[in-house]
Amino acid sequence: MARFTPHTDSDIEEMLDAIGVRSIDDLFADVSPKMSGELDLPPVLSEYEALRDVEEAAWENDTGLPMFLGAGAYDRIIPSSVSAMLSRGEFLTAYTPYQSEVSQGGLQVIFEFQSMISELAALEISNASVYDGANAVVEAALMTARLTKRDPKVAVSAGLNPRYREVIETYGVEIVELSHNNGTTNFSDVPDDVSGVFVQNPNYFGNIEDIEAASEAAHGVDALCVAVCDPISLSLLEAPGNLGADIAVGEAQPLGMSLSFGGPYAGYMATKEKFVRQLPGRITGETVDKDGKLAYVLTLRGREQDIRRARANSNICTNQALTALAATVYTALMGPEGLREVAELSASKAHYLAERLQASGFRLRYPDSPFLWEFAVEMEDVERANEALLDAGMIGGLDLGDGAMLVAVTEKRTKEELDAFVEVVANA
Amino acid sequence: MLSEKTLGSLIRDKGRPGRRGFTLPKNDVENLDLEKILPKKALREEKPELAEVDEPTAVRHYTNLSRKNWGIDTNFYPLGSCTMKHNPRANEAAAATPGFASLHPLQPEKQSQGALRVMHELQGFLSEVSGLSAVSLQPLAGAQGELTSILMVRKYFEDAGDTGRTTVIVPETAHGTNPATATMAGFKSKEIGVDEHGGVDVEELREAVDETTAALMITNPNTCGVYERNITEIAEILHDAGAFLYMDGANMNANMGRMRPAKAGVDIMHYNLHKTFSTPHGGGGPGCGAIASTEKLAPFRPDPTVEKSGDEFRFVRPEKSIGRVAGFHGNFGPILRAWNYIKMHGPELRDVTDMAVLNANYVRAKLGGAYRVPYNELCKHEVVIQPPEGKRALDIAKGLIDHGYHPPTIYFPLVVKEAMLIEPTESESKETLDDFIGAMLELAETSDEDLEASPTTAPTRRLDETRAARQLKARW
């Protein structure tokens, strides 16, 4: 018998007796034997053997190299305390905190997460997370339709991460294309029947957008403005809530989550309190217990699927509690100054790299649009450049497919690595 | 013991301006002057009010919060429908392996062959367990697996030019996510009743199914813990009407090696890797809601899936894909853990199911009498019971906390008054079950007054939930 199931043969005998059946097979007497059958799976492995296989598979990936890829997921420094807190079994192996009395730890973490997100976005209320940035975007799109009582139809530009746009389309939301000039969106021609206007900042190409222009355009047609923001950038860029945005959403991965080939990450959502009934997912609120002691509980549950069923505002149940904990611990350790330093270091290094590339004869795709830590640089053959970078022990940027590479620089990169990058692509 | 002061305060209140919990490498290039590149109005005027704490304070704060939380590691957690089994720590070691943890999702396929191989192999394992050949690992949680499945069904009918399929049928015992999913996918959800086994009422189903039916969303074993013995007939009714049978896989822990959904006529289903394959629940996520379908629905799977061509693994967009449902390739952390879990079990996954079903039936046999068992027949991996006449499920649940047990799921399924849904899982020993049964029997005899006062030993007593909603305070 395997190590994860404790019963001995005599335990099993006693239990079968208590149930009043003779064999384990009798417990499946109601299942037609035609439905069962041996599982054709590889032979059982010990932990040591299984983890050896993990190591072997890990070696088939190219990792541990300086990274210049971003486009929605960033290679940032993660304090050791983050994973230490995540590995606490009381957090790791708990379920959704429906039983508040024995879930106060998890509930308070969510309350702190919501507080930090609300502060970063300068909006009144936040939920306990959704699956990822893309899903935060689509949930916001659906929210705008419910709030404006219009069909789900949103105005977006090429500045919105194309993967987010694809998820919006999967969920049946109509998209109206806004033009973009020199890498930033033109909000002057928003049609008057959209439910929402989206602005990503920094946008997909790394450029800084005008959230105020987006919210004015949205409100001009009685639609809502959704700002999609990198949370690290909110330490130094004006908060969407202060620029007229009605909903702020985004990918919380940069807040202490490892790249992990795309997940688990966490999507965040913040909005105005008057819109809270249309905010999907869990929300933790403060209350008191019988003795008047401060405590936390999942609240406004009437929005959710287990209570409202077919009329719920979303079907979301499980979210990203553990990665939201990572974001909370990370943000607590960094504080407002630390987040700002992460942002400034990344921006300084990205600008150094952009200047060095220009000095070596490369042209930026959008030379007149300010950026922070990600930019598009024109290259004749991005694939060849990336191969040369890999040969030199670096992971290059994203091939935009039209003669440009999207390069991301984080606080991890050193001057030496940046210089090496320039040298390799210049000679590729 | 923790002091009240420690218990009550937020991380923000433990900080002082100027404290820092982490230092970063020094800048080795020129400092960028943001005011030079950005208009003043683009820069943040007021700094956000976050915590400003040192590392020891932060670590102590979150460690102490964890001590106010119960998990499987600390307590027996017989939460029905949630499969709270032990989470092997080898899975955590696997997920922390740097060669996976630091892999960027947009690295080219040839740089990610190890990750793609893991995904391809897991697709195969899930296909073997379900008997359904086409798998997608992309959905990020069970509810998204449901939505993905129903969107695939929708796209199938669109593609076939069959525009009249407007309804998804859902039994009244279904998880709330099922009807919510049907609505979100643009269908009308039609509820039907259940028979004396808590199973789909076949006659009512026959009445309900017509040319507007797109699918039935079934859970098997159903949410009363009973096997759907009419599953083959149910599948036939749907197939005869040109509709699909979708299976909610939340209860797959009862089926491995014992019931292959494909053989029962299921066309498409979702798994909860965080339930059946033990990737931790993490206090409510992350999960993975992988789906498996027949070849008929395979072309509609999310973009992308992983295929093998020659010696190389690559991402492929299914021909008539519904599109993507996640920003990247799915929750790879849980995918890797589930792959590792299955490899540590192999064909013995069937023993997992057997022991889970044995444990649930043992609890049923021992609690029957003191508790009412509305479906007192063979159950599968979970059993629904009712408290003795006059007692409330909520009170028994809170009383359990004082005995050191996490309460079972209560007031679900909705068709059973005062329902208590108990799922012990295969992880628990006979001694643990006997102790739990002893506590339950004691609670059946405990005075209403004492029950209503419980819990008294937990970090808090019962909460004022109305106040939380009426005087909403969801942030500092």
Side-chain angles (χ1 to χ4, degrees), chain B residues 131-187:
Chain B
L132 294 161
S133 56
V135 172
S136 166
L137 304 175
Q138 197 177 111
L140 298 168
Q144 202 180 38
E146 295 177 24
L147 183 67
T148 300
S149 303
I150 300 302
L151 287 174
M152 284 167 62
V153 165
R154 190 191 165 92
K155 187 101 190 237
Y156 171 89
F157 286 122
E158 272 171 24
D159 183 64
D162 188 347
T163 53
R165 305 276 173 176
T166 52
T167 309
V168 166
I169 302 175
V170 177
E172 57 184 330
T173 47
H175 297 114
T177 46
N178 290 178
T181 291
T183 306
M184 212 165 170
F187 288 102

Side-chain angles (χ1 to χ4, degrees), chain A residues 365-418:
Chain A
R365 168 65 53 97
Y366 306 113
D368 301 326
S369 294
F371 64 92
L372 290 179
W373 46 73
E374 198 159 17
F375 59 88
V377 57
E378 296 188 346
M379 275 181 206
E380 258 170 47
D381 191 340
V382 177
E383 206 178 326
R384 199 179 63 206
N386 273 338
E387 273 166 22
L389 285 164
L390 187 64
D391 286 343
M394 283 178 272
I395 307 291
L398 186 77
D399 188 347
L400 287 174
D402 58 356
M405 183 196 277
L406 185 63
V407 181
V409 183
T410 69
E411 75 279 11
K412 271 191 178 176
R413 299 288 70 80
T414 64
K415 180 168 178 290
E416 217 177 1
E417 291 163 0
L418 302 173

Side-chain angles (χ1 to χ4, degrees), chain B residues 90-157:
Chain B
N91 293 340
E92 299 312 301
T97 306
F100 287 114
S102 63
L103 185 64
H104 193 290
L106 298 178
Q107 279 182 244
E109 288 154 330
K110 62 180 176 187
Q111 296 179 17
S112 331
Q113 284 295 300
L116 290 170
R117 176 160 73 82
V118 167
M119 292 175 78
H120 190 260
E121 287 180 11
L122 181 60
Q123 288 175 187
F125 297 163
L126 297 182
S127 176
E128 170 61 18
V129 172
S130 61
L132 294 161
S133 56
V135 172
S136 166
L137 304 175
Q138 197 177 111
L140 298 168
Q144 202 180 38
E146 295 177 24
L147 183 67
T148 300
S149 303
I150 300 302
L151 287 174
M152 284 167 62
V153 165
R154 190 191 165 92
K155 187 101 190 237
Y156 171 89
F157 286 122

Side-chain angles (χ1 to χ4, degrees), chain B residues 425-445:
Chain B
T425 84
E426 73 280 7
S427 305
E428 304 301 332
S429 67
K430 181 169 174 295
E431 300 90 279
T432 301
L433 297 181
D434 285 336
D435 288 348
F436 168 75
I437 289 158
M440 285 292 285
L441 296 177
E442 199 181 314
L443 288 167
E445 302 288 321

